């Protein structure tokens, strides 16, 4: 296939994200309604999605080969931190705002953006090169990609409320975190519990076989969980559109230090270049280097092209929407966080279209060798 065909697959997969997000944007849900959607999603739908996709698509042997995924995620996060620190200094950003930009570059949007893009790509008849073997299916491709991505998603959530808060703490010395706040930001969330349960199921093969054996009550239970998980993505995208609309509404209650319009623009540029250029470039270079020179380090890169594609896409997604949550929690740079997110998601539509096309081309090349 040529570049045009990869561009078509890329734009088609992103169209679903854009359309559902626009619907959420137009509906203009209130903050209370968004919170209700988020509570349902985090408490029920996201855990169901994680449990079903991990327990249904991974095996114990594959799970053992995925040790590299969290390692790569942390290394790329460090690259983002270095870029934001020294790039921010070169651009003359204040220390506090530079810390906010560091979080924006470090923590990407994994769940909301990755899954619908992968589902769209897997459903394309032109993406047959992503099949692992003759017995592989488009649904299995999507399920494996979701399982791979969710490992990063869990790391994302844990580190956001530990490393992320620690990075912002000096910028919010006057807004100390109370014990109650720490409890709210606990890393032991329903999605993490679901992942732990799913991993336990994968490790204990008889339990996994019982859940996946068609025609049994155990499988009926698994199907019910899987059905709930199917509702997660559209609801999440509707919430994302509504959240972006809410962030564009002028705030009169924002607290903490303010930045000038010029400094804010420089910070936005710093984040956009970091998220859409620096981190993806380093990620692809690292993956291709491992594939070419030390293939035995991560053999799954050679046997499953979906792993390369998933890790590449995750490295290029916009900042996590929870950047606003961190800013609100710390009581600083709320307006700046809204500006970063609005610009990142506006630019991200074009940037991801181009980058996903490149990633698809690269995945096809390495799978054909």
């Amino acid at each position: 296939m040529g570049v045009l065909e990869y561009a078509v697959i890329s734009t088609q997969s992103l169209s679903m994200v854009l359309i559902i997000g626009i619907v959420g944007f137009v509906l203009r849900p209130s903050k209370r309604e968004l919170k209700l959607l988020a509570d349902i999603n985090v408490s029920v739908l996201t855990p169901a999605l994680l449990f079903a996709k991990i327990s249904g698509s991974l095996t114990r042997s594959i799970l053992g080969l995925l040790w590299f995924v969290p390692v790569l995620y942390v290394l790329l996060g460090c690259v983002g931190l270095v870029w934001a620190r020294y790039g921010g200094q070169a651009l003359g950003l204040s220390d506090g705002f530079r810390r906010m930009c560091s979080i924006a570059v470090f923590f990407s949007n994994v769940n909301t953006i990755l899954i619908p893009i992968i589902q769209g790509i897997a459903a394309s008849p032109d993406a047959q090169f992503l099949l692992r073997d003759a017995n592989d299916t488009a649904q299995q491709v999507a399920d494996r990609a979701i399982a791979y991505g969710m490992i990063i998603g869990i790391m994302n959530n844990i580190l956001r409320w530990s490393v992320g808060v620690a990075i912002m703490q000096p910028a919010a010395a006057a807004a100390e975190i109370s014990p109650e706040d720490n409890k709210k930001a606990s890393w032991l969330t329903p999605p993490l519990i679901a992942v732990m349960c799913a991993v336990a199921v994968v490790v204990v093969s008889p339990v996994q076989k019982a859940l996946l054996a068609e025609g049994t009550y155990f499988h009926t239970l698994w199907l019910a969980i899987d059905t709930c998980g199917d509702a997660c993505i559209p609801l999440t995208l509707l919430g994302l559109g509504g959240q972006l609309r809410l962030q564009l509404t002028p705030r009169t209650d924002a607290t903490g230090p303010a930045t000038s319009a010029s400094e804010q623009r420089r910070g936005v540029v710093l984040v956009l270049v970091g998220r859409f250029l620096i981190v993806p470039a380093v990620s692809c270079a690292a993956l291709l280097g491992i594939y070419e020179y030390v293939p035995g380090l991560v053999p799954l890169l050679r046997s499953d092209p979906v792993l390369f594609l998933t890790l590449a896409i995750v490295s290029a997604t916009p900042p996590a929407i929870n950047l606003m949550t961190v800013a609100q929690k710390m009581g600083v740079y709320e307006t700046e966080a809204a500006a970063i997110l609005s610009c990142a998601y506006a630019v991200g539509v074009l940037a991801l279209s181009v980058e996903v096309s490149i990633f698809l081309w690269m995945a096809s090349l390495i799978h054909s060798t």
Side-chain angles (χ1 to χ4, degrees):
M1 294 198 312
V3 175
L4 181 59
E5 285 79 3
Y6 292 122
V8 169
I9 298 174
S10 171
T11 53
Q12 287 176 342
S13 65
L14 283 163
S15 295
M16 182 177 70
V17 178
L18 186 61
I19 291 170
I20 301 178
I22 289 175
V23 172
F25 189 90
V26 172
L27 287 176
R28 302 182 66 175
S30 65
K31 191 172 183 178
R32 180 179 179 182
E33 290 169 336
L34 285 172
K35 186 179 186 304
L36 178 61
L37 288 177
D39 287 343
I40 294 173
N41 216 340
V42 172
S43 300
V44 179
L45 302 184
T46 298
L49 176 74
L50 296 174
F51 180 85
K53 299 308 180 187
I54 293 176
S55 64
S57 61
L58 296 185
T59 63
R60 185 162 52 184
S61 59
I62 291 179
L63 192 64
L65 295 174
L66 291 176
W67 64 268
F68 175 72
V69 174
V71 173
L72 178 65
Y73 172 76
V74 172
L75 291 176
L76 292 179
C78 292
V79 169
L81 290 179
V82 171
W83 164 256
R85 176 176 179 178
Y86 293 103
Q89 288 178 349
L91 292 174
L93 303 185
S94 63
D95 178 71
F97 187 40
R98 191 168 66 245
R99 290 173 180 274
M100 168 61 69
C101 293
S102 298
I103 295 176
V105 178
F106 192 130
F107 300 105
S108 62
N109 187 321
V110 179
N111 300 2
T112 311
I113 301 295
L114 170 69
I115 296 175
I117 289 177
I118 288 293
Q119 288 176 329
I121 291 173
S124 173
D126 294 323
Q128 296 298 308
F129 63 89
L130 291 175
L131 299 179
R132 188 167 50 185
D133 51 46
N135 298 319
D136 208 4
T137 66
Q139 184 59 52
Q140 290 173 340
V141 166
D143 288 349
R144 289 200 309 277
I146 292 171
Y148 298 155
M150 289 308 97
I151 294 175
I152 296 179
I154 293 302
M155 291 288 295
N156 213 0
N157 284 315
I158 293 174
L159 294 179
R160 183 186 303 123
W161 294 113
S162 53
V163 175
V165 170
I167 290 173
M168 283 302 299
Q169 192 65 51
E176 296 183 3
I177 304 173
S178 66
E180 182 179 358
D181 288 332
N182 277 325
K183 183 178 179 180
K184 291 178 181 177
S186 172
W187 58 270
L188 192 59
T189 59
L192 178 57
I193 294 173
V195 169
M196 294 168 64
C197 292
V199 169
V201 167
V202 172
V203 171
V204 184
S205 298
V207 176
Q208 185 180 35
K209 290 179 181 178
L211 283 175
L212 301 181
E214 296 183 5
T216 66
Y217 284 110
F218 288 113
H219 188 59
T220 301
L221 172 62
W222 185 88
L223 286 176
I225 297 173
D226 188 38
T227 301
C228 287
D230 289 340
C232 173
I233 301 308
L235 190 66
T236 301
L237 291 175
L238 287 172
L240 174 61
Q243 186 68 41
L244 289 174
R245 178 62 177 262
L246 192 65
Q247 289 170 5
L248 291 176
T249 304
R251 291 177 57 91
T252 58
D253 59 340
T255 59
T259 61
S260 65
S262 174
E263 183 180 5
Q264 191 173 116
R265 285 193 296 270
R266 296 196 302 272
V268 169
V269 170
L270 177 73
V271 172
L272 295 184
V273 173
R275 277 254 44 94
F276 297 129
L277 183 59
I278 302 299
V279 175
V282 174
S283 174
C284 288
L287 292 172
L288 291 176
I290 292 171
Y291 181 89
E292 185 67 27
Y293 299 108
V294 282
L297 185 64
V298 189
L300 203 57
L301 271 178
R302 284 191 174 270
S303 62
D304 191 359
V306 175
L307 179 59
F308 173 87
L309 182 63
T310 301
L311 295 178
I313 293 176
V314 167
S315 71
T317 54
I321 199 72
N322 282 344
L323 176 69
M324 175 58 73
T325 307
V326 174
Q328 290 171 339
K329 176 182 176 59
M330 306 302 292
V332 292
Y333 300 113
E334 296 178 41
T335 302
E336 291 78 4
I340 289 172
L341 289 172
S342 300
C343 292
Y345 281 86
V347 173
V349 174
L350 176 60
L352 273 175
S353 296
V354 174
E355 291 184 312
V356 172
S357 301
I358 296 173
F359 298 153
L360 284 166
W361 171 70
M362 295 172 69
S364 69
L365 284 182
I366 64 175
H367 189 50
S368 62
T369 57

